[in-house]
Amino acid sequence: KDDGMTETPDSAATRRCDVTGEAAEAGDLVPLAVVRPAIAERIRAEHPGLAPDARISRAELSRQRLAYVEDLLTGERGALGALEEQVARSVANHDILAADVEREYDDSRSFGEKAADVVATFGGSWRFIIIFGAFLVVWMAVNVAAGEKRAFDVYPFILLNLVLSCIAAVQAPVIMMSQRRQESKDRLRSENDYKIDLKAELEIRHLHEKMDHLLNRQWRHQTEIQRVQLELLHELTERRSPPSGA
């Protein structure tokens, strides 16, 4: 009875992971021979019965990479923090850690935080100094020209001092708010730089390890080729040499 659910071995596109035994697509299986040597040794140590041509699924390989990187970081830095765990996951999953921290932080600002940044930026510019200086000159000139009877703020300009005190009392906390936000942004930028540097260090180390592995394999292959060549030369020499006593 053919219910439409059977597949021939040739048409089947799935195999089983030799490590976990779970079914996986044929394209999702990676030969264990091409895996980074340190990770491959870790897998073979956990599963000593694997064949030389064993294949591992990409999901299991990502899990093994994550465990390997976590063990590596734990051995060097002790207990892992949130940043180290994030770096370990990014290395295992080949994720990109580089991010535009300033844009992400600016997009999450509230209306009050945006207003504080605008006030702090404007209050620390030459435009504010020039405008405010002109305002003070006009204030004092108008009151001096009007005289003591008609002036709304006679000398020594007590009302002006009150206005300046109020502006300073409001401006100082606003600037502090903006500076605190800048410190938070700098902290996020530093954390992102640390994660990128740590991941780059791990990737460079793994790259050196991979290069050493490839060089060792190439050296073994060249040595084997040289042995074969020597054997061929030895055979040719024996064929050309005349028999003894001739």
Side-chain angles (χ1 to χ4, degrees):
K1 179 181 179 180
D2 186 6
D3 56 359
M5 297 297 293
T6 58
E7 292 182 344
T8 62
D10 295 336
S11 63
T14 60
R15 281 190 54 186
R16 290 191 176 275
C17 173
D18 295 327
V19 177
T20 62
E22 298 177 354
E25 297 291 335
D28 291 336
L29 294 174
V30 180
L32 199 59
V34 300
V35 177
R36 183 174 293 116
I39 301 178
E41 292 177 1
R42 175 190 179 91
I43 296 174
R44 292 190 180 277
E46 294 180 357
H47 306 275
L50 292 177
D53 58 345
R55 293 176 176 267
I56 182 173
S57 64
R58 297 185 184 276
E60 177 63 17
L61 181 58
S62 297
R63 191 189 69 80
Q64 292 288 345
R65 283 199 191 102
L66 178 59
Y68 170 74
V69 175
E70 287 181 349
D71 291 344
L72 187 64
L73 292 176
T74 303
E76 293 184 354
R77 304 172 186 271
L80 296 184
L83 295 179
E84 285 77 9
E85 291 181 355
Q86 186 175 356
V87 172
R89 286 193 299 270
S90 68
V91 173
N93 301 326
H94 301 287
D95 295 334
I96 297 176
L97 288 178
D100 191 352
V101 178
E102 294 190 5
R103 176 178 296 180
E104 293 178 359
Y105 192 78
D106 291 341
D107 292 341
S108 62
R109 291 183 303 172
S110 63
F111 175 78
E113 292 174 340
K114 293 180 180 179
D117 289 341
V118 172
V119 172
T121 302
F122 178 70
S125 63
W126 277 105
R127 180 183 301 178
F128 172 77
I129 295 175
I130 294 173
I131 294 176
F132 198 68
F135 170 77
L136 295 179
V137 171
V138 171
W139 181 294
M140 291 184 289
V142 169
N143 284 279
V144 170
E148 294 184 359
K149 294 183 179 180
R150 300 177 57 187
F152 61 89
D153 186 20
V154 297
Y155 182 83
F157 311 114
I158 298 176
L159 180 59
L160 179 60
N161 290 329
L162 179 61
V163 172
L164 294 177
S165 300
C166 293
I167 293 177
V170 174
Q171 189 180 24
V174 171
I175 294 177
M176 292 178 63
M177 290 170 55
S178 179
Q179 289 179 346
R180 188 171 64 251
R181 286 194 60 258
Q182 186 63 39
E183 291 177 357
S184 300
K185 185 188 297 184
D186 293 339
R187 185 177 63 256
L188 291 177
R189 188 185 299 111
S190 299
E191 291 178 355
N192 188 65
D193 293 341
Y194 168 73
K195 291 188 293 185
I196 294 174
D197 293 341
L198 180 57
K199 182 179 180 181
E201 179 183 352
L202 292 173
E203 293 291 354
I204 291 174
R205 178 180 300 180
H206 295 164
L207 180 60
H208 281 293
E209 182 182 342
K210 190 70 173 180
M211 290 296 296
D212 293 339
H213 176 66
L214 292 176
L215 289 175
N216 291 332
R217 289 183 59 185
Q218 185 178 6
W219 177 255
R220 289 197 300 268
H221 292 167
Q222 290 179 350
T223 303
E224 187 65 24
I225 293 173
Q226 289 177 357
R227 290 177 180 175
V228 174
Q229 291 175 345
L230 289 175
E231 291 177 358
L232 290 174
L233 289 175
H234 182 68
E235 292 179 0
L236 291 174
T237 303
E238 289 182 349
R239 289 179 182 178
R240 292 183 179 180
S241 61
S244 59

